[in-house]
């Protein structure tokens, strides 16, 4: 029996009415639900539809749902086929329903105001990996492969705020007793028609619960973000969606003036044969960024989901032995794809379906257009000072620029000057090369990476252009253009794509080649740094060469920590991005 058992009326009666919804969320800025058994998604769809139709809806609706094995996308739509109001929601859900490997997956709807964090795996393990304060729990006993014990109910209770509401289909005496042991006030509710009685509960223990009291839920107020690149703009947009009034300060007169001014960047998962930490982090980031692009950018002008072929040469190590859900992310390239790229069919190559190119500045601009965000250019912040209950930011002359309840430092290499050299930041210079694309050129039909990257067609000039790079100058903060970097980019392409290299060489000889150079900010372990350094003082920086992958993931992680929301990725992966990691 699936989570759709009993139909929509039963789901609404047991779970929504059992948690006093929608009345319970009136006046709340957001509502956070833990669903212990996603099933075919009918509970989520019913909750989403109730949120949609409520004029007093909270600003954000979060659902963290656990599922051992995700159903097929067709099953999601089948569960809603007899309910016209749910059908478009089921279609939107199915459109993002792919690549669901074990772990967490953040799906976004309603312009980021309805967030589903799908936790794929065994229930106890998924509960351990979450850290948030649930307002409501859908305790679905029909989808559970293992019985609800006192220990498992304690694991659920750990994630609940005092006053949280709970609903379940069963009124088993043992479960009711164990819930009471965990501090829940339990009542039995009548069922619908022939259905059995249901259970409702409120978490109100008679003792202080320190684990819950430590979890903060900060009220939105005035925020300052320092830095108007990918990291800063993403943080500003995430905060604004949660009700913050955000001013984004930057020394430049326009947004995306630093490394985020890269003409076009490649967005692709980093896949390793052992599916290492960076592989898992990059998949989480790519999923979030691709959905942002689909919702916000002009396809073909500001981004394109082309897929990417990764050349691996004589590295014949296989892809990790994961289940079929890896295929939408990474699989062995076909011989036809290798021939299309003009690489030997004997070479090892992987195909990444969830990949493409994006104009970074386009993402920055759309994030800064989020309601509640104001860009303040030509305003160089020099000092951040605690001033009573708020933070004061000053320029180099001591002139007060702003006061704020919250400050997020996202100033790349300039972050350390504001934070007293507390972070292990390193400069990485890099240069890309491009030229107008001639229609007769024999270029691959899709981007190719693995030795630098080559993107065959982007709208950079009137006829479109190819673009390649980037050079990698570790420890160099000089953004000057260099002829030797252009030649180095050419040789990297020649090692993989000789025909494309010939086109590059012809453009160099004809003087039509152009270049861009920038300086990226990286950490020692090449992972971003995001976290709280002091109460109300946060950082999100060190995106390195993967700003497109990590900027919004880090912004959502920052917001989740700030507002005690469901984490967008497993706690152990979130720790790998924490600015305080050793």
């Amino acid at each position: 029996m699936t989570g759709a058992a009993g139909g929509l009326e039963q789901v609404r009666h047991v779970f929504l009415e059992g948690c006093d919804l929608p009345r319970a969320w009136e006046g709340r800025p957001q509502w956070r639900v833990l669903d212990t058994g996603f099933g075919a998604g009918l509970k989520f769809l019913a909750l989403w539809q109730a949120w949609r139709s409520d004029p007093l809806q909270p600003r954000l609706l979060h659902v963290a749902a656990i599922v051992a094995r995700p159903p097929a996308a067709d099953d999601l739509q089948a569960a809603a086929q007899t309910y016209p109001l749910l059908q478009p929601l089921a279609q939107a859900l199915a459109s993002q329903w792919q690549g669901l490997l074990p772990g967490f997956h953040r799906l976004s709807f309603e312009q980021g105001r309805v967030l589903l964090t799908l936790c794929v795996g065994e229930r106890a393990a998924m509960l351990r990996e979450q850290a948030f304060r649930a307002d409501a729990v859908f305790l679905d006993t029909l989808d559970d492969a293992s019985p609800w014990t006192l220990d498992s109910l304690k694991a659920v209770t750990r994630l609940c705020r005092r006053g949280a509401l709970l609903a379940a289909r069963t009124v088993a005496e043992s479960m009711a007793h164990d819930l009471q042991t965990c501090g829940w006030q339990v009542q039995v509710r009548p069922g619908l028609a022939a259905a059995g009685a249901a259970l409702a509960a409120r978490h109100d223990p008679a003792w202080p619960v320190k684990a819950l009291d430590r979890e903060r839920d900060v009220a939105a107020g005035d925020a300052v973000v320092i830095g108007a690149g990918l990291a800063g703009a993403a943080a500003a947009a995430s905060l604004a969606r949660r009700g913050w009034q955000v001013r984004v300060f930057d020394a430049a007169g326009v947004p995306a003036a630093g490394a985020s001014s890269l003409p076009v960047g490649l967005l692709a998962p980093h896949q390793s044969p052992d599916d290492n930490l960076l592989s898992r982090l990059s998949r989480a980031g790519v999923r979030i960024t691709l959905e942002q692009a689909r919702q916000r950018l002009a396809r073909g002008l500001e981004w394109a989901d082309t897929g990417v072929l990764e050349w691996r040469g004589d590295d014949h190590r296989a892809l990790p032995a994961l289940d079929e859900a890896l295929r939408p992310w990474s699989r062995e390239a076909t011989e036809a794809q290798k021939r299309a790229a003009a690489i030997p069919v004997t070479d090892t190559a992987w195909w990444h379906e969830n990949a493409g190119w994006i104009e970074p500045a386009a993402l920055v601009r759309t994030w800064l257009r989020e309601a509640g965000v104001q860009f303040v250019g030509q305003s160089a912040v020099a000092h951040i000072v605690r001033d009573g209950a708020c933070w004061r930011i000053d320029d180099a002359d001591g002139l007060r620029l702003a006061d704020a309840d919250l400050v997020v430092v996202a100033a790349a290499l300039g972050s350390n000057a504001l934070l007293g050299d507390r972070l292990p930041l390193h400069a990485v210079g890099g240069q890309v090369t491009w030229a107008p694309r001639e229609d007769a050129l024999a270029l691959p039909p899709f981007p190719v990476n693995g030795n630098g990257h080559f993107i065959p067609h982007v709208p950079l000039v009137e006829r479109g252009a190819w673009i390649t790079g980037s050079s990698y100058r570790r420890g160099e903060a000089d953004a000057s253009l260099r002829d030797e970097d252009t030649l180095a980019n050419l040789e990297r392409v020649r090692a993989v794509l000789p025909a494309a290299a010939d086109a590059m060489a012809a453009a160099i000889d004809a003087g039509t080649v152009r270049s861009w150079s920038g300086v990226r900010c990286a950490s020692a372990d090449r992972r971003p740094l995001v976290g709280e350094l002091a109460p109300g003082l946060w950082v999100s920086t060190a995106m390195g060469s993967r700003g497109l992958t990590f900027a919004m993931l880090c912004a959502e992680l920052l917001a989740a920590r700030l507002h005690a929301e469901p984490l967008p990725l497993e706690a152990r992966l979130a720790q790998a991005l924490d600015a305080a990691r050793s």
Side-chain angles (χ1 to χ4, degrees):
M1 193 174 250
T2 70
L8 180 59
E9 294 77 13
Q10 179 73 357
V11 164
R12 284 173 172 162
H13 175 75
V14 172
F15 295 104
L16 272 64
E17 294 177 23
C19 288
D20 196 24
L21 295 173
R23 193 199 64 80
W25 65 34
E26 291 180 10
R28 297 290 301 276
Q30 60 176 255
W31 192 257
R32 300 156 295 200
V33 177
L34 171 63
D35 181 1
T36 67
F38 185 80
L42 194 58
K43 295 193 301 299
F44 171 68
L45 296 175
L47 182 67
W48 181 3
Q49 193 274 329
W51 176 89
R52 254 191 164 195
S53 61
D54 185 8
L56 300 177
Q57 63 186 211
R59 178 183 292 272
L60 262 69
L61 172 64
H62 289 273
V63 178
I66 298 172
V67 62
R69 293 180 180 82
D74 289 345
D75 292 338
L76 301 174
Q77 299 191 67
Q81 64 183 353
T82 58
Y83 308 112
L85 288 176
L86 300 190
Q87 288 174 9
L89 308 186
Q91 291 169 3
L93 178 59
S95 71
Q96 297 187 41
W97 202 260
Q98 48 81 28
L100 299 175
L101 287 160
F104 287 12
H105 305 273
R106 171 60 62 82
L107 311 185
S108 173
F109 310 95
E110 307 283 358
Q111 295 296 310
R113 295 184 63 198
V114 173
L115 299 172
L116 171 63
T117 305
L118 196 71
C119 308
V120 180
E122 186 269 328
R123 185 182 68 206
M126 294 299 96
L127 290 172
R128 286 194 298 270
E129 290 291 344
Q130 263 297 359
F132 73 107
R133 293 178 62 193
D135 299 297
V137 177
F138 294 168
L139 196 71
D140 201 328
T141 55
L142 293 178
D143 295 322
D144 298 325
S146 56
W148 283 101
T149 64
L150 178 59
D151 284 343
S152 59
L153 292 173
K154 285 180 177 179
V156 168
T157 303
R158 177 185 68 85
L159 297 176
C160 296
R161 68 172 176 87
R162 183 182 293 275
L165 304 170
L166 179 148
R169 298 179 192 266
T170 182
V171 292
E173 184 176 346
S174 59
M175 174 182 285
H177 178 269
D178 288 345
L179 283 170
Q180 290 170 339
T181 300
C182 294
W184 294 87
Q185 308 301 315
V186 178
Q187 70 177 81
V188 176
R189 301 176 59 243
L192 283 181
L199 181 148
R202 179 182 182 86
H203 189 243
D204 190 17
W207 55 87
V209 185
K210 294 182 180 179
L212 295 179
D213 294 340
R214 283 200 303 268
E215 297 289 348
R216 295 178 303 142
D217 185 1
V218 175
D222 293 321
V224 161
V225 174
I226 303 171
L230 282 167
S238 285
L239 291 172
R241 281 195 296 275
R242 288 154 175 87
W244 291 85
Q245 295 299 307
V246 188
R247 282 173 288 179
V248 181
F249 287 83
D250 199 283
V254 295
S260 298
S261 65
L262 174 73
V264 167
L266 197 65
L267 177 72
H270 169 91
Q271 185 58 63
S272 63
D274 61 350
D275 201 44
N276 62 18
L277 180 65
L278 184 57
S279 298
R280 288 170 280 152
L281 287 169
S282 73
R283 283 196 299 267
V286 167
R287 180 186 289 277
I288 287 177
T289 303
L290 279 178
E291 192 55 34
Q292 288 287 303
R294 291 187 185 102
Q295 293 179 10
R296 294 171 171 269
L297 301 183
R299 191 187 301 266
L301 293 176
E302 298 171 320
W303 83 292
D305 48 347
T306 57
V308 170
L309 185 139
E310 179 183 345
W311 174 79
R312 298 186 65 83
D314 58 1
D315 182 353
H316 299 299
R317 291 179 296 167
L319 285 160
L322 301 174
D323 63 25
E324 190 68 13
L326 181 64
R327 287 186 62 81
W329 293 106
S330 304
R331 59 172 173 78
E332 296 287 343
T334 65
E335 289 191 4
Q337 287 171 327
K338 294 178 186 179
R339 291 192 181 98
I343 65 174
V345 295
T346 55
D347 283 2
T348 301
W350 294 347
W351 177 255
H352 306 297
E353 185 71 26
N354 292 330
W357 59 262
I358 294 180
E359 179 192 347
L363 265 182
V364 170
R365 290 192 298 269
T366 188
W367 287 335
L368 293 179
R369 286 196 294 268
E370 188 81 37
V373 176
Q374 176 189 0
F375 170 69
V376 185
Q378 295 182 325
S379 297
V381 176
H383 306 288
I384 305 171
V385 181
R386 190 71 183 179
D387 187 4
C390 67
W391 291 93
R392 187 184 79 236
I393 64 169
D394 298 339
D395 66 11
D397 296 325
L399 178 66
R400 185 187 298 248
L401 299 176
D403 293 322
D405 305 300
L406 174 72
V407 174
V408 179
V409 178
L413 290 172
S415 299
N416 257 344
L418 298 170
L419 298 172
D421 293 324
R422 299 167 64 175
L423 302 175
L425 302 180
H426 307 281
V428 179
Q431 184 168 314
V432 299
T433 304
W434 78 92
R437 174 191 167 103
E438 302 295 336
D439 293 337
L441 291 177
L443 300 180
F446 40 70
V448 177
N449 74 347
N451 190 29
H453 66 256
F454 186 90
I455 308 175
H457 196 183
V458 292
L460 288 182
V461 292
E462 292 80 0
R463 296 189 303 277
W466 52 258
I467 185 168
T468 188
S470 162
S471 57
Y472 198 87
R473 303 192 300 269
R474 190 185 301 274
E476 292 193 25
D478 182 2
S480 301
L481 295 176
R482 306 181 186 190
D483 291 341
E484 58 266 32
D485 277 23
T486 298
L487 296 176
N489 286 338
L490 169 62
E491 292 310 310
R492 275 193 293 273
V493 172
R494 190 177 299 283
V496 183
L497 306 170
D502 290 343
M504 283 187 63
I508 292 173
D509 292 342
T512 59
V513 72
R514 308 180 191 182
S515 296
W516 173 95
S517 182
V519 179
R520 293 156 290 191
C521 171
S523 68
D525 57 16
R526 298 193 303 155
R527 298 196 300 269
L529 298 165
V530 57
E532 190 175 30
L533 303 180
L537 177 62
W538 291 72
V539 66
S540 183
T541 192
M543 304 292 142
S545 59
R546 294 186 175 273
L548 286 171
T549 298
F550 286 129
M552 184 50 74
L553 174 65
C554 289
E556 286 295 286
L557 178 59
L558 185 156
R561 294 291 197 196
L562 186 65
H563 289 285
E565 301 170 3
L567 297 177
L569 70 174
E570 301 96 299
R572 56 196 168 91
L573 297 186
Q575 180 59 36
L577 301 179
D578 198 298
R581 66 183 182 265
S582 56

